[in-house]
């Protein structure tokens, strides 16, 4: 299969961080602008943005820089629109986009206004049809309009987008609870769940347990970054919490592996991210092969397509080559991801229909 095949195939993205998925060109433009205003020195950050090989430590330093560049309302709206349009352009039909609500007093930004700016970005998507469950639109009418476009020969792409709000491991329990409450309020605007992420060497995941339990009790879906570093006590604790999905699952020792496999928790696999950050030594050594052989539920994801210069199509191409999988297997892998999405039944049904048509 050539690259074009992976691009044209419908795909589902379940692990993409908003600020990790920003185009380099946008970051450079924003950095130039802040450079001209004397807020940063452009020549100091240009090579940081364009650098390709990064350790896990460097990745989190880069996020601190990206957040300086992106955290005002208009920029959050702009990057959301661009990220969705980029995924749609490579035929991602369902995107579960995650982002950490941020407070920035200098910009008059609260966690709520941050999320509102993200939603404004979804509203602003115009290159494709988008369904992000906005509270003020009747969804059946929306579906009908899109069908109408299709039957009138307007071959516009369509993407379903749902949001996860992330808790950063640097936060306090109070801040995490604020994020969960915000997610509950924003459910009508397509927020479907909570993610725990951030530098895995910072903080203790148990700090957030109460917030995660509260999220689950209130019907939000939960995914955790688990096993990006070899902290076996944390990995066991996370698995025992039984999240509905986990991200990465790289550094699990045998008993945790066995636990994960017997619990059948779906894994969000991020090949390029794991290799670039040296979490896994090479693609051949990646646990994808083991999980695939066992038919363990899993899905290919980009993690941070901007930071790691990748795309979901590229991740499919890498997996197909490394693990010797054909077109049929790759299509099935993409289709299986629909079952692990946190979208409502209506969307799951529509996506399954879409895959049936494309087969
Ligand atoms: C853990 C990660 C991550 O939320 O500002 N993030 N957390 N492991 C990773 N693997 C490399 N990649 C990204 O997007 C950026 C934030 O997502 C989390 C980090 O907290 C990062 O600051 P948002 O949109």
């Amino acid at each position: 299969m050539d690259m074009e095949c992976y691009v044209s195939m419908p795909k589902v993205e379940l692990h993409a961080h908003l600020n990790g998925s920003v185009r380099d060109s946008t970051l450079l433009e924003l950095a130039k602008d802040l450079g001209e205003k004397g807020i940063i020195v452009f020549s100091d950050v240009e090579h940081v943005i364009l650098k390709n090989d990064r350790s896990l430590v460097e990745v989190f330093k880069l996020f601190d820089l990206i957040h300086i560049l992106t955290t005002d309302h208009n920029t959050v709206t702009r990057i959301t629109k661009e990220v969705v349009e980029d995924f749609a352009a490579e035929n991602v039909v369902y995107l579960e986009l995650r982002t950490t609500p941020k407070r920035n007093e200098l910009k008059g930004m609260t966690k709520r206004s941050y999320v509102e700016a993200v939603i404004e970005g979804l509203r602003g998507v115009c290159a494709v049809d988008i369904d992000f469950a906005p509270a003020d639109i009747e969804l059946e009418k929306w579906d009908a309009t899109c069908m109408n476009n299709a039957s009138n020969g307007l071959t516009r792409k369509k993407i379903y987008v749902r949001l996860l709000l992330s808790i950063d491991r640097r936060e306090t329990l109070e801040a995490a609870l604020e994020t969960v409450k915000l997610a509950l309020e924003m459910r009508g605007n397509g927020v479907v769940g909570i993610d725990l992420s951030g530098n895995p060497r910072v903080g203790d995941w148990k700090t957030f347990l109460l917030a995660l339990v509260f999220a689950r009790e209130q019907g939000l879906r939960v995914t955790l970054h688990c096993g990006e570093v070899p902290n076996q006590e944390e990995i066991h604790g996370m698995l025992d919490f039984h999240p509905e999905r986990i991200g990465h699952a790289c550094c699990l020792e045998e008993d945790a592996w066995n636990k994960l496999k017997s619990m059948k928790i779906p894994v969000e696999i991020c090949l390029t991210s794991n290799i670039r950050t040296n979490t896994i030594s090479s693609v051949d050594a990646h646990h994808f092969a083991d999980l695939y052989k066992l038919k363990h539920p899993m899905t290919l994801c980009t993690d941070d397509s901007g930071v790691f210069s990748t795309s979901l199509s590229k991740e499919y191409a890498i997996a197909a080559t490394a693990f010797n999988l054909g077109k049929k297997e790759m299509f099935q892998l993409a289709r299986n991801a629909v079952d692990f999405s946190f979208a409502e039944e209506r969307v799951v049904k529509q996506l399954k229909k879409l895959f049936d048509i494309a087969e």
Side-chain angles (χ1 to χ4, degrees), residues 57-197:
V57 174
E58 283 175 321
V59 162
F60 288 98
K61 282 194 191 139
L62 177 61
F63 281 126
D64 288 341
L65 168 64
I66 293 176
H67 290 146
I68 293 172
L69 301 178
T70 58
T71 307
D72 68 74
H73 294 107
N74 286 343
T75 308
V76 170
T77 298
R78 170 187 174 174
I79 60 171
T80 306
K81 175 180 184 298
E82 289 181 356
V83 166
V84 171
E85 291 184 348
D86 287 350
F87 275 111
E90 58 157 340
N91 291 304
V92 170
V93 290
Y94 176 79
L95 165 65
E96 222 162 76
L97 187 62
R98 56 187 76 189
T99 193
T100 321
K102 293 166 191 72
R103 185 188 292 286
N104 184 342
E105 272 167 31
L106 285 176
K107 309 273 178 189
M109 180 182 278
T110 60
K111 284 194 174 195
R112 174 193 296 273
S113 71
Y114 177 91
V115 177
E116 283 167 354
V118 170
I119 291 167
E120 207 43 46
L122 299 180
R123 231 178 262 287
V125 168
C126 51
V128 294
D129 286 328
I130 176 171
D131 174 331
F132 61 98
D136 51 355
I137 296 212
E138 282 178 55
L139 290 165
E140 277 75 20
K141 266 194 204 157
W142 189 301
D143 276 344
T145 310
C146 294
M147 287 290 180
N148 224 356
N149 280 347
S151 59
N152 287 338
L154 300 172
T155 51
R156 277 165 64 84
K157 293 180 194 290
K158 176 168 181 179
I159 186 166
Y160 292 86
V161 181
R162 295 294 181 269
L163 296 173
L164 304 180
L165 300 190
S166 300
I167 296 168
D168 187 317
R169 296 177 63 112
R170 288 178 292 194
E171 290 185 287
T172 60
L173 171 63
E174 288 66 35
L177 278 168
E178 187 187 346
T179 296
V180 173
K181 284 179 190 154
L182 189 56
L184 289 169
E185 277 175 49
M186 295 288 187
R187 267 206 279 214
N189 279 302
V191 175
V192 290
I194 292 289
D195 155 57
L196 175 65
S197 53

Side-chain angles (χ1 to χ4, degrees), residues 260-330:
L260 170 71
K261 287 171 188 169
S262 68
M263 292 173 92
K264 297 205 175 350
I265 300 172
V267 181
E268 303 152 1
I269 298 272
C270 309
L271 296 172
T272 300
S273 163
N274 296 158
I275 290 152
R276 285 272 169 86
T277 56
N278 286 325
T279 312
I280 300 284
S281 58
S282 74
V283 71
D284 302 325
H286 200 282
H287 46 293
F288 176 100
D290 189 15
L291 293 178
Y292 187 82
K293 224 183 292 154
L294 285 166
K295 295 191 167 41
H296 186 92
M298 65 171 168
T299 167
L300 286 175
C301 308
T302 53
D303 202 8
D304 299 293
S305 56
V307 168
F308 298 120
S309 306
T310 190
S311 66
L312 196 54
S313 311
K314 275 194 202 166
E315 296 302 302
Y316 273 73
I318 293 167
T321 308
F323 308 111
N324 203 14
L325 301 173
K327 188 175 175 182
K328 209 169 143 219
E329 285 92 354
M330 296 315 290

